[in-house]
Amino acid sequence: MNLWTSLEPASATVDPGGSTTVRLRLRNTGDVVDEYRFEVVGPLAPWALVEPQSLRLFPGTTGTVALSFSPPRTPDAAAGPHPYAVRVTPTEHPQATTVPEGNLTVTPFTEMRAELVPPTVKGRFRGRPRLAVDNLGNTKLTASVRGSDNGDQLSYDISPSNVQIDPGRAAFLQTTLKPRQIIWIGSKEDRPYTLAVQRSGATPLDVAGTYVQRSVLPRWLAALVSILLALTIAFVMIWRAYTPHVDTTATEKPQEAAVGTLPPLPSPTPGAPKATAATAPAPPAAAATQGADADTDAGGAGGDGPGEKETEAPERTAAIAVQQKAAEDPGTSHICYRVFTRDHGWSDAECDGGTAGTAGSGEQITSVNIAVSKSNGTSSNAMVRNPTATGQYFPYGWSSAVDGADNYAGSTEKGAPYMRGFTIEVDGGNSTVCQTTYVHNDDWLALACDEPGNGLPFTYAGTHDNDPWIEAVRLTV
């Protein structure tokens, strides 16, 4: 052994979103000048920066290398101790590689986000919005949910009312709103309400929504019934007051003709209607009451009648593509994906190793859409160009989706930064996912996979350099 090494300190602590520095001291105990290269290995490697990356030492001299760790303030920087190692490779004696080991403790932080889907619901007897709660911290989140409104006009049925959410995951709560008083007739009324997500010892997170309560009978139907009733009463009164006048052309016969075989015809009785008079038909407007209120008391924000325009067919997202693959081959796991570029928007969805994007085109990817089947869901996190530094930059945080649902990493907003790469895992890091990407002005990178059970629950697709970007993606599970 021609090298002595020491990590100072051997154990360090860092806050997510912050940074800490560990010094690696080494001495050339050999008898020749040697150059040493340094590489951080283990799960902390994406957050580590070594300066300098190589060091040349004369025999008997000592040098120092700075190891900077900058875990992002995202759920993937899990709270707790994280072992790491530094591979020190001598140029003159590569077989004498040394791997000093250290420990980095990431402090816990809590952060959550809640959203109503949809924020406005309509109904006559109930409304059914969903509350999505995202755990953006790096520790397990325990929270309870309750509803309230001004005037106690609504009752709330929330299922479940208490949730536990792992870091980087989301929970969906089904909420049923019921008005305490039914509006039988009249105009609709807006009833604002609030769902409060309460963590122990923290200020509640309030999410505002609106329940639009409709009347059971629409105003136009009530007006129509009133008009028909008035017309019916008027018709009956006119009919009863009308006395028909009967004219006849019959003349009295001569006296001598009074003797005959037939008796004379009786004269019409005054006040009786003519025999040819018929009962007037009911007004045709009465038929308009049939099927007048076809809309149900659905809790969503749907349309109000059959005159609604036919909706267009949805775009073919990764979720639709993977559902089709699962229907064709239900016994195999599948992954489908597509990419969003600034110039052309979303690409066609590709599956199981197909190429999404255009290699060598120069187009900049700003978002990736991924969906899996028979893989127990997927999670991902986009690393984009950092406009102020050259280190790791994960501004959006982890996003997750269950089997058959769309998961998005990055952003499709105008002016969004391009992606240098992204991390991805399936089955909560318990199953394997493999990837390769095409990097601008470079080539396809080597195929890489995560290592479930060996401390690497996710894989990173892309480049760690700040300026290049990815142009195409291939994924398999």
Side-chain angles (χ1 to χ4, degrees), residues 428-446:
N430 297 317
S431 298
T432 299
V433 57
C434 298
Q435 51 74 26
T436 178
T437 55
Y438 186 90
V439 178
H440 179 64
N441 288 338
D442 196 348
D443 202 344
W444 285 100
L445 301 182

Side-chain angles (χ1 to χ4, degrees), residues 15 36 44 51-52 60 93 97 120 134 152 168 173 201 264 282 311 317 329 334 354 362 382 389 396 410 416 439 472:
D15 296 328
Y36 304 93
L44 299 184
E51 292 182 348
H93 303 284
T97 298
T120 301
D134 298 295
D152 195 25
L173 290 76
T311 58
T317 66
D329 185 11
H334 298 284
Y396 304 117
V439 178

